[in-house]
Amino acid sequence: MSTDRKAELAENLAEVEERIAAACRAAGRAREEVKLIAITKTFPASDVALLAELGVTDVGENRDQEAGPKAAEVAGLRWHMVGRLQRNKARSVVEWAHEVQSVDSARLADALAKAVRAARDAQIRDEPLDVLIQASLDDDPGRGGCPLPELGALAARIAQTEELRLRGLMAVAPLGADPAAAFERLARAGEGLRKDHPNAAEVSAGMSHDLEQAITHGSTCVRVGTALLGGRGLASP
């Protein structure tokens, strides 16, 4: 069974890699400019292990309670928290995540910084936490994200801490809208952010259905789940 699953994942990965490479060629960019994060929510750690065998190095999860056990089971990967995060989960998340892509408020940033300090004191981790600000492209509070006019203030707050390293922006295209237009807005926001924070060069945008448009508009990181692992069914988060 695992042999069949590995072959299925290998075929899916090859197709995703070709899509990324084609989008990069069309945009005049090098393939190495775009990182692939495999989003493995609701799928077992065995799938993560198979993806690792196939060369995937970055894995993203939406839920802390699911990600922690997987990260403990499959070593040697770089783990990203990409889902909305409640402040009371900060201490748990910093025990497994190398990067949190969904920071959308000063209160969450402060909670993560405090959690990193506690983890450092407990000798659980010795590195700062890489973070991306989740930018809201649709002004829908139900989907999370920092409003674009407030990005500068949140970035300054993060930059003041020793425990967090601001790496860039993350966003999800609005539902039912042209993703290209949304990603163009994100690209402009990223340019503005880098004027004050030149090391915040990462732009995490694009998923299974819109990664080409995201790469066209400068995404440096695509988050792909369904196209790699298959559909999640009605029970998926």
Side-chain angles (χ1 to χ4, degrees):
M1 181 65 180
S2 63
T3 303
D4 292 342
R5 180 58 168 162
K6 187 173 183 179
E8 178 185 3
L9 292 174
E11 181 178 353
N12 292 346
L13 178 60
E15 291 176 357
V16 169
E17 283 287 349
E18 176 51 36
R19 287 177 61 192
I20 295 172
C24 287
R25 288 194 298 269
R29 302 177 62 192
R31 168 64 187 89
E32 293 74 23
E33 294 180 32
V34 181
K35 176 169 58 184
L36 170 63
I37 296 182
I39 305 301
T40 56
K41 65 178 184 181
T42 77
F43 287 96
S46 58
D47 277 354
V48 179
L50 291 174
L51 286 171
E53 291 176 12
L54 293 168
V56 172
T57 58
D58 290 81
V59 178
E61 286 284 338
N62 286 57
R63 292 185 172 181
D64 167 62
Q65 61 267 37
E66 182 181 349
K70 286 185 188 178
E73 188 171 340
V74 187
L77 298 175
R78 182 168 171 82
W79 291 84
H80 306 257
M81 177 64 176
V82 300
R84 294 194 70 184
L85 179 60
Q86 295 177 328
R87 297 192 306 278
N88 63 3
K89 297 290 186 179
R91 181 166 293 205
S92 177
V93 166
V94 303
E95 293 184 4
W96 60 265
H98 298 89
E99 181 174 83
V100 173
Q101 295 203 355
S102 49
V103 177
D104 59 1
S105 71
R107 295 175 72 188
L108 177 55
D110 290 347
L112 287 168
K114 181 179 179 181
V116 170
R117 286 195 296 273
R120 183 184 58 206
D121 292 343
Q123 299 184 336
I124 295 173
R125 69 178 296 147
D126 55 11
E127 286 288 318
L129 177 69
D130 289 341
V131 299
L132 275 64
I133 296 175
Q134 182 177 351
S136 173
L137 299 179
D138 55 11
D139 299 320
D140 180 356
R143 301 186 75 203
C146 175
L148 296 184
E150 300 174 17
L151 289 179
L154 180 52
R157 181 69 162 262
I158 292 169
Q160 290 173 357
T161 74
E162 296 179 356
E163 295 81 13
L164 307 179
R165 286 187 295 222
L166 179 62
R167 292 304 195 190
L169 298 177
M170 181 272 269
V172 180
L175 295 172
D178 176 14
F183 295 143
E184 186 176 5
R185 291 180 66 202
L186 181 65
R188 290 198 300 268
E191 290 174 3
L193 181 71
R194 288 189 293 276
K195 290 178 181 178
D196 293 321
H197 307 278
N199 291 326
E202 189 163 350
V203 180
S204 176
M207 297 188 288
S208 293
H209 61 288
D210 58 13
L211 64 86
E212 286 87 357
Q213 294 95 324
I215 290 171
T216 296
H217 291 284
S219 173
T220 65
C221 171
V222 293
R223 311 180 304 274
V224 181
T226 301
L228 274 179
L229 292 127
R232 294 187 171 86
L234 296 177
S236 65

